[in-house]
Structures are given as C-alpha cells and as structure tokens.
Amino acid sequence: RWDGAPEGTTWEVSHDLDGPVSMHIYDREFQWVDAYYFLSGTTERLYEPGPDPISMTDLLENGEDSYDFTTIEQTGDEVVKLNTRGRDVATGETEVIDGVTLHTFNVASETRDENGDLVFAAEGKQYVFKDERLFMLGQESYFDGQERWQEDNTPQEFIFPGEKGFTDFRPRYGCNAQQASFTPPVSQ
C-alpha cells in the first residue's frame, strides 16, 4: 500500500511462475481505476466513472450492483476507448475457505469498443471478503471476442501480513496467475 494513495485504495497484482503479469488499482468502492499488463506494456485507465460507477457499498447493503464505466486502453501508440457494463448479485450464500468467510456473488459483464464490438465478457461466481472490502475471482467463463474459456480461480488459502509465506509470490495452487491483495486496516 502506498501512503500517497487515497484512503481505501486497493492494489492487486496477478502473477505466475515467471513473475508479475498485471497490476490493478481500485478505489474504496472497488471501482477500477488503473491497470498495467507487464507482458504487453498495455495500460488501462478510468476515462470516466460513467452513469453508474461500481459501488461496493451498494453491493454490500442491497445485495446487488450494476455498473457502466469507460476506460482508455493503450498499447504502444494504439489507444482504444472501452465501455464496460455489468451486474453483480448476491447469492445469499457464504463459503468458508481457510477459516475466512466469503460471500458469493453471481457476476456478468461485457466490454465493448467504440464501434460496439464485444471485446471481452465474463460470467460466473466471485467472492467478497466483506471485512476487507475485497473482490476475489471464482469460477468464471470468459470470451475475448474470439475464444471462450473457463477458469477456476477460487481462493485456496489466506496468508496475512506477518504469517509465514506472506511475501512468497510463487503461486501455490494451479498454473493460472494467482491474485493477491491486502488493504491493511485503518489504524485508530
């Protein structure tokens, strides 16, 4: 966590056996703000929150949240404006993984370019760790405009600051990039 970042900012880094793959930054509401993809050098930045920004507060209080926001994706000199729309809905169920209670949500989103062409879609189940206001991937189906695939990125283990293995960034489970993030509690 960077001291200069606004309060509630979450930094998430995905990595595989070769090292970091991507870094995402979210605000307190878990609105996507910035991303960097290490292999391609691509950046994605929030262009405008849009008519319906992501709201973790709405999701936790009402059991659902819709969103509609625009980002700018840049790879080299190529710049593309992308619009993402989606909806997350609470299932009303929880799962306990490694002693941590996670709330489950059905999620669905689509990202389209300026021509309205579908460039990415995701649908499935994700988790929210309410105490930390964190989203976590689960079992989802994806479409990148050409191919469809499924992934199970369900959390397997939680290692908190000070616990053995917290600074070990090698994936422990599966071959896909693993996500790790932590927002320390606000000291009072």
Side-chain angles (χ1 to χ4, degrees), residues 25-37:
I25 302 170
Y26 305 95
D27 69 11
R28 176 160 174 69
E29 291 297 325
F30 228 79
Q31 171 65 58
W32 185 54
V33 176
D34 203 354
Y36 180 75
Y37 299 90

Side-chain angles (χ1 to χ4, degrees), residues 12-24 38-39 153 165-181:
E12 174 186 82
V13 177
S14 297
H15 48 89
D16 62 17
L17 292 173
D18 296 323
V21 175
S22 65
M23 177 181 70
H24 290 80
F38 293 95
L39 299 177
N153 293 300
F166 182 74
T167 59
D168 184 2
F169 289 103
R170 292 175 306 189
R172 294 175 183 232
Y173 304 95
C175 298
N176 294 328
Q178 298 291 311
Q179 292 189 333
S181 61

Side-chain angles (χ1 to χ4, degrees), residues 20-118:
V21 175
S22 65
M23 177 181 70
H24 290 80
I25 302 170
Y26 305 95
D27 69 11
R28 176 160 174 69
E29 291 297 325
F30 228 79
Q31 171 65 58
W32 185 54
V33 176
D34 203 354
Y36 180 75
Y37 299 90
F38 293 95
L39 299 177
S40 66
T42 298
T43 61
E44 293 182 26
R45 290 190 167 80
L46 183 65
Y47 176 70
E48 57 185 41
D52 188 9
I54 290 174
S55 174
M56 176 73 81
T57 300
D58 286 350
L59 184 64
L60 297 178
E61 290 178 1
N62 304 321
E64 67 180 87
D65 181 47
S66 61
Y67 47 90
D68 181 348
F69 62 93
T70 302
T71 57
I72 298 293
E73 177 183 278
Q74 182 169 359
T75 305
D77 292 334
E78 182 182 353
V79 178
V80 179
K81 190 183 288 186
L82 302 171
N83 177 257
T84 299
R85 293 179 183 183
R87 184 174 170 187
D88 304 328
V89 179
T91 66
E93 299 175 2
T94 60
E95 292 183 29
V96 177
I97 299 174
D98 194 28
V100 174
T101 300
L102 301 175
H103 297 260
T104 61
F105 292 82
N106 291 323
V107 298
S109 67
E110 290 187 344
T111 301
R112 295 183 180 273
D113 65 17
E114 292 175 271
N115 299 322
D117 295 327
L118 183 65

Side-chain angles (χ1 to χ4, degrees), residues 93-166:
E93 299 175 2
T94 60
E95 292 183 29
V96 177
I97 299 174
D98 194 28
V100 174
T101 300
L102 301 175
H103 297 260
T104 61
F105 292 82
N106 291 323
V107 298
S109 67
E110 290 187 344
T111 301
R112 295 183 180 273
D113 65 17
E114 292 175 271
N115 299 322
D117 295 327
L118 183 65
V119 296
F120 189 78
E123 182 177 17
K125 176 172 78 171
Q126 290 186 358
Y127 301 91
V128 171
F129 184 3
K130 282 188 177 184
D131 294 345
E132 299 295 338
R133 293 178 65 94
L134 292 175
F135 259 106
M136 296 176 191
L137 298 177
Q139 299 170 338
E140 294 182 82
S141 298
Y142 300 101
F143 177 64
D144 66 3
Q146 298 177 12
E147 295 183 45
R148 296 183 187 281
W149 71 97
Q150 295 182 339
E151 292 183 11
D152 186 349
N153 293 300
T154 300
Q156 301 295 310
E157 180 179 19
F158 289 88
I159 304 171
F160 295 97
E163 294 180 355
K164 183 180 179 185
F166 182 74

